[in-house]
Amino acid sequence: MMMSKKAAPEKAPTKVNNCTQDKVFMVVLHIILAFILVMVIYPLLFVVFASVSDPQYVNSGALLLYPKGFNLLGYQQVFRDQRILIGYANTIYYTVFGTILAVAVNMMAGYSLSRDDLPGRGIIMALFVFTMYFGGGMIPFYLIVRNLHLTNTRAILVLLGGTSVYNMIIVRSFFVSTIPRELQEAAEIDGCGIARFFVSIVMPLSKAITAVIVLYCAVGQWNAYFNALIFISDRDKFPLQIFLREILLTAKTYESAEVLSTLSGDDLARMQRMSEVTKYGVIVVSTLPIIALYPFLQKYFVKGVMIGSLKG
């Protein structure tokens, strides 16, 4: 009868003893990071608090750490306008389809530029980078769009966000450092073509960078307004940002001297109050939906932004 071998004792994990200087450095670093975090978070919280507070507390500086005089007048004023619903529907349309197109283009272009066997890869990459620093100008750009009969169409807002050289370079760097050449060669030996290799192998291994590009493109599409301001004239196709801009401009007229001089004391106070809370309500309405997207992509985002930091 054979005797079982005695299992080797598990080794205790090695503990790194930090010196005093390291401990002091970490304490100072945490203090600095906490200070930066407060500087970034507090303005966001202040906007939320101000949007549900009485404007008199905001104007007097009494609003600091929590809302005072709770009311939803700003949100009532914003959502009372039917333009908001139209703007939300259009912006969701532009964001969804624009992000899908942008992710597809950036992923395919980035992977193509990462392959050594792409003819003229250096020249193509140089031309892409050239466009990051030089452009033809707004007037030639508008003339091209008009000659293509894309003005006042939903397609132009989707297509204009369809690619980004910056995102393309990020994707290319990810594939260069993550997808080894040996993996491509092994797939080719097994008879796997380039398209199948990209869909079946590359994309499943690229969840991190895909999440990063989705977030970048979605935020850009959601906040975009200048292209719509230039190319869209049909109000039924306006994105949310254009309507919110109109609401802010309308609220701003309540503060003009000409309008204020025509109002009585009670009407003046009400208009100023309406204008103040509308500003903060517009900010929250326009940013909250896209901020809510981040928690779903956060676990991939941290990994994706560290592209190229480690070399195997």
Side-chain angles (χ1 to χ4, degrees), residues 8-311:
E10 295 182 358
K11 293 183 179 180
T14 304
K15 184 178 181 180
V16 178
N17 294 323
N18 296 327
C19 61
T20 304
Q21 292 86 347
D22 292 339
K23 294 180 180 179
V24 173
F25 173 77
M26 293 303 296
V27 171
V28 174
L29 181 61
H30 280 79
I31 293 174
I32 295 175
L33 291 177
F35 179 73
I36 295 175
L37 179 63
V38 172
M39 292 179 61
V40 174
I41 293 297
Y42 180 72
L44 299 177
L45 294 178
F46 180 84
V47 170
V48 176
F49 295 158
S51 67
V52 294
S53 298
D54 194 312
Q56 64 180 347
Y57 295 108
V58 179
N59 295 333
S60 63
L63 178 65
L64 292 176
L65 300 177
Y66 55 89
K68 292 185 177 181
F70 182 84
N71 71 80
L72 299 177
L73 182 62
Y75 296 103
Q76 293 174 1
Q77 179 66 18
V78 171
F79 285 104
R80 185 179 302 167
D81 198 329
Q82 293 297 322
R83 295 175 297 177
I84 294 296
L85 300 179
I86 298 175
Y88 258 117
N90 291 333
T91 296
I92 292 173
Y93 176 89
Y94 299 140
T95 301
V96 171
F97 289 98
T99 301
I100 293 174
L101 176 63
V103 172
V105 171
N106 288 319
M107 296 298 289
M108 289 188 290
Y111 174 69
S112 299
L113 293 171
S114 70
R115 292 182 63 100
D116 298 333
D117 55 352
L118 176 67
R121 183 180 66 161
I123 298 176
I124 296 174
M125 195 66 212
L127 292 176
F128 275 126
V129 174
F130 180 83
T131 63
M132 297 178 66
Y133 301 99
F134 302 97
M138 178 55 65
I139 295 178
F141 182 45
Y142 180 84
L143 293 177
I144 292 174
V145 173
R146 188 187 65 179
N147 292 336
L148 292 174
H149 305 288
L150 290 175
T151 55
N152 200 29
T153 62
R154 299 182 188 273
I156 186 61
L157 298 185
V158 175
L159 292 174
L160 290 180
T163 186
S164 167
V165 177
Y166 176 77
N167 293 338
M168 194 182 304
I169 293 175
I170 293 179
V171 175
R172 173 184 175 274
S173 301
F174 176 85
F175 287 140
V176 169
S177 60
T178 304
I179 307 299
R181 178 64 180 172
E182 294 76 13
L183 185 60
Q184 301 176 12
E185 294 174 350
E188 291 173 358
I189 292 174
D190 291 337
C192 182
I194 297 177
R196 183 178 178 184
F197 177 76
F198 176 77
V199 174
S200 302
I201 299 177
V202 173
M203 289 303 296
L205 296 176
S206 308
K207 293 181 180 179
I209 190 61
T210 302
V212 173
I213 300 303
V214 166
L215 186 61
Y216 284 170
C217 296
V219 171
Q221 285 282 2
W222 184 273
N223 293 327
Y225 78 96
F226 185 73
N227 290 331
L229 198 63
I230 298 298
F231 298 111
I232 303 298
S233 58
D234 189 352
R235 296 183 61 84
D236 291 336
K237 300 175 183 176
F238 278 176
L240 176 65
Q241 305 300 333
I242 298 295
F243 287 128
L244 294 180
R245 175 178 175 271
E246 292 182 355
I247 293 175
L248 280 178
L249 292 177
T250 302
K252 191 67 176 178
T253 59
Y254 294 152
E255 300 177 357
S256 63
E258 294 80 2
V259 175
L260 296 181
S261 61
T262 62
L263 299 176
S264 62
D266 294 339
D267 292 337
L268 176 61
R270 184 176 63 84
M271 288 296 182
Q272 289 178 332
R273 184 169 178 262
M274 183 84 67
S275 173
E276 196 66 27
V277 296
T278 300
K279 293 178 184 178
Y280 293 109
V282 164
I283 295 174
V284 175
V285 167
S286 61
T287 57
L288 186 60
I290 198 65
I291 291 177
L293 179 65
Y294 178 77
F296 299 99
L297 303 176
Q298 191 269 342
K299 63 178 180 179
Y300 300 111
F301 185 80
V302 175
K303 180 181 178 181
V305 297
M306 296 298 292
I307 295 168
S309 62
L310 298 177
K311 298 295 183 181

